[in-house]
Amino acid sequence: MSNSLVDKTIIECQNLDQYFDDGDTRVDIFQGLNLEIKQGERLAIVGASGSGKSTLLYMMGGLDHIKSGKVLLDGYDISQLNAKKLGILRNKTLGFVYQFHHLLAEFSALENVAMPLLIRGDSTAQATEKALYILDQVGLSHRVKHTPGELSGGERQRAAIARALVTNPKCLLADEPTGNLDNTTARQVYDLLIRLNEDRHISLVLVTHDEKLAASMDKVLLLHDGQLKPVSLAS
Ligand SMILES: Nc1ncnc2c1ncn2[C@@H]1O[C@H](COP(=O)(O)OP(=O)(O)OP(=O)(O)O)[C@@H](O)[C@H]1O
Ligand SMILES: [Mg+2]
């Protein structure tokens, strides 16, 4: 991999705070958090349930209001962008896999996956072709016409992964991408993510409890008490 690709920063969190007001008490999730994701980097974020992993991913993906601190996405300070510009930047830069897939119930797998391309202005024919290709990559060729309600949990998860990857993002933010999958399917998703990282230098930021997946990242960070700390997983 060339150094220029490795050196480019895709996401940077600077001195980021997040808290929720719970009646009269304030629940701090993290304070003064700093994190930098380089192009092509593979990062796993681990931590106990409720430690704030999903919250952090949302903030990195520009999906949550920033109360204090900054998030730079591909060099742009996202709090300086209006909703439309942020939407375009997100569509161009990021793929997001939610912890709970968030597919649109009334649309087929194919339509769900093609949606981000249609939003960015691709023709239906182009979007369909790219969506079918990536659905094949996640092993869902035989289920493209099914709606989310007609898919199994693991199939839904794979459709969500296909939707995140179809735009060929610079960075994939994925919340438990293998969480609902059996070992064989988890392995296929894992192989796909690694292949995309190696072939296209897509940065991977994965929240995962899957030790094998975490261990194959360049770096593993533990979110605990509102702070990120490097951990080494014994192999
Ligand atoms: N909108 C909200 N309002 C109030 N509290 C919230 C809100 N969103 C999250 N929280 C709280 O913030 C904490 C962190 O939540 P988060 O979903 O980020 O945890 P997590 O590390 O992803 O957990 P899990 O491993 O169970 O998915 C939790 O205690 C949660 O209850
Ligand atoms: Mg979570």
Side-chain angles (χ1 to χ4, degrees):
M1 202 182 297
S2 85
N3 281 334
S4 60
L5 278 169
V6 173
D7 284 340
K8 190 162 187 299
T9 298
I10 293 299
I11 303 181
E12 195 168 354
C13 300
Q14 296 175 349
N15 213 12
L16 204 57
D17 291 346
Q18 179 58 301
Y19 54 87
F20 295 106
D21 284 318
D22 189 13
D24 352 298
T25 52
R26 175 172 140 160
V27 181
D28 284 301
I29 309 298
F30 39 80
Q31 308 93 27
L33 189 137
N34 293 298
L35 179 61
E36 196 178 350
I37 314 292
K38 301 277 192 187
Q39 178 76 63
E41 187 175 0
R42 303 175 189 178
L43 171 71
I45 298 172
V46 299
S49 178
S51 59
K53 305 177 299 296
S54 296
T55 306
L56 175 58
L57 226 54
Y58 268 60
M59 302 211 56
M60 290 169 73
L63 293 164
D64 222 341
H65 174 68
I66 294 171
K67 292 170 176 140
S68 164
K70 267 188 197 173
V71 175
L72 303 179
L73 187 52
D74 210 10
Y76 296 91
D77 179 346
I78 62 173
S79 57
Q80 300 298 314
L81 303 176
N82 63 30
K84 187 173 176 207
K85 286 196 171 145
L86 176 58
I88 293 169
L89 178 66
R90 256 202 325 250
N91 183 286
K92 202 172 79 171
T93 314
L94 295 179
F96 202 100
V97 180
Y98 297 87
Q99 188 166 13
F100 305 102
H101 65 82
H102 289 207
L103 296 166
L104 299 171
E106 63 276 31
F107 293 98
S108 69
L110 176 59
E111 288 163 336
N112 266 285
V113 174
M115 196 84 64
L117 297 175
L118 297 172
I119 288 170
R120 76 158 55 165
D122 279 14
S123 69
T124 308
Q126 271 177 326
T128 303
E129 188 186 331
K130 289 180 193 166
L132 285 172
Y133 175 77
I134 197 77
L135 280 160
D136 182 47
Q137 296 283 298
V138 296
L140 282 182
S141 290
H142 60 310
R143 290 286 183 272
V144 300
K145 292 193 175 150
H146 289 228
T147 60
E150 296 163 346
L151 297 172
S152 74
E155 286 169 343
R156 271 178 231 144
Q157 186 73 346
R158 283 183 283 154
I161 291 168
R163 180 184 55 183
L165 292 171
V166 77
T167 52
N168 197 16
K170 293 179 182 170
C171 179
L172 182 76
L173 300 172
D175 206 343
E176 295 286 0
T178 58
N180 297 317
L181 307 179
D182 63 84
N183 283 343
T184 309
T185 316
R187 183 80 216 175
Q188 281 167 4
V189 167
Y190 163 94
D191 287 343
L192 172 69
L193 296 180
I194 300 295
R195 196 165 75 236
L196 288 164
N197 170 262
E198 287 176 349
D199 295 351
R200 301 196 205 161
H201 311 300
I202 293 179
S203 311
L204 301 177
V205 180
L206 310 179
V207 168
T208 185
H209 285 108
D210 182 337
E211 287 212 1
K212 208 165 171 185
L213 189 55
S216 63
M217 299 294 108
D218 301 321
K219 216 192 291 177
V220 182
L221 296 175
L222 172 72
L223 184 57
H224 180 69
D225 280 345
Q227 303 288 321
L228 281 173
K229 294 198 186 81
V231 285
S232 55
L233 295 179
S235 50

